[in-house]
Amino acid sequence: TFPAAKPPASWNCSPASSSPTSSHPPTTSTSATNYRSGLYAAQLGSTLPTKGASSIAQTFTVPAGATQASAWYLMTCNSRMDYLTISITDVSARRTTTLVSKICTKNYTWTQVTAPVTAGKDYTWTFTNYDDNKAGTATYTNVDDVTVA
């Protein structure tokens, strides 16, 4: 659950602002169909076609006893050239695992992605939505319920 009308400061957002040549900056969605729980979900991309990538990333330390990181995403993809990627990086080992690799789906179903983690270590989640700006083919992704347990 995202707690406010924009991703919290603990999430790094790219681009920080939009321009005619960049994609829509990450924001949050308040539409009941676009969040999984609570009142908000992070939204990458826009409901209007845009050019480029929109990303959020967060580095976190795994608490004692936790063994799994989890997140949920809902993608609306309308062009074969558009995609979503999700990765998690073990910061100390400098090892990135791609959990979702350049997919394009329009199934309107929340999908869970998980990764094993080790207590006491730092990891970075990265979610990237890419849209090619083709007319009538907006691609965007909502991310919600990012947890460690």
Side-chain angles (χ1 to χ4, degrees), residues 75 77 81-85 102-104 128-131 139:
M75 183 180 200
C77 185
M81 300 304 292
D82 298 347
Y83 59 83
L84 166 70
T85 62
K102 290 191 175 182
I103 65 159
C104 177
T128 301
N129 183 93
Y130 179 81
D131 189 339
T139 291

Side-chain angles (χ1 to χ4, degrees), residues 25-117:
T27 184
T28 54
S29 175
T30 58
S31 170
T33 58
N34 292 334
Y35 58 81
R36 188 169 173 275
S37 69
L39 296 176
Y40 300 98
Q43 181 176 304
L44 308 177
S46 174
T47 56
L48 299 173
T50 54
K51 177 70 173 172
S54 178
S55 298
I56 57 171
Q58 183 183 51
T59 299
F60 61 96
T61 301
V62 179
T67 59
Q68 180 173 278
S70 171
W72 291 81
Y73 68 90
L74 175 67
M75 183 180 200
T76 299
C77 185
N78 293 295
S79 171
R80 294 178 305 162
M81 300 304 292
D82 298 347
Y83 59 83
L84 166 70
T85 62
I86 301 173
S87 64
I88 193 164
T89 301
D90 178 330
V91 175
S92 62
R94 296 184 180 157
R95 182 177 44 240
T96 299
T97 302
T98 301
L99 304 170
V100 174
S101 178
K102 290 191 175 182
I103 65 159
C104 177
T105 184
K106 189 178 181 177
N107 61 11
Y108 302 110
T109 302
W110 282 99
T111 303
Q112 185 180 33
V113 61
T114 62
V117 293

Side-chain angles (χ1 to χ4, degrees), residues 121-137:
K121 293 184 82 173
D122 293 336
Y123 292 85
T124 301
W125 275 112
T126 304
F127 302 84
T128 301
N129 183 93
Y130 179 81
D131 189 339
D132 65 0
N133 200 30
K134 184 177 176 186
T137 66

Side-chain angles (χ1 to χ4, degrees), residues 6-13 57-58:
K6 67 178 188 173
S10 62
W11 286 87
N12 296 316
C13 299
Q58 183 183 51

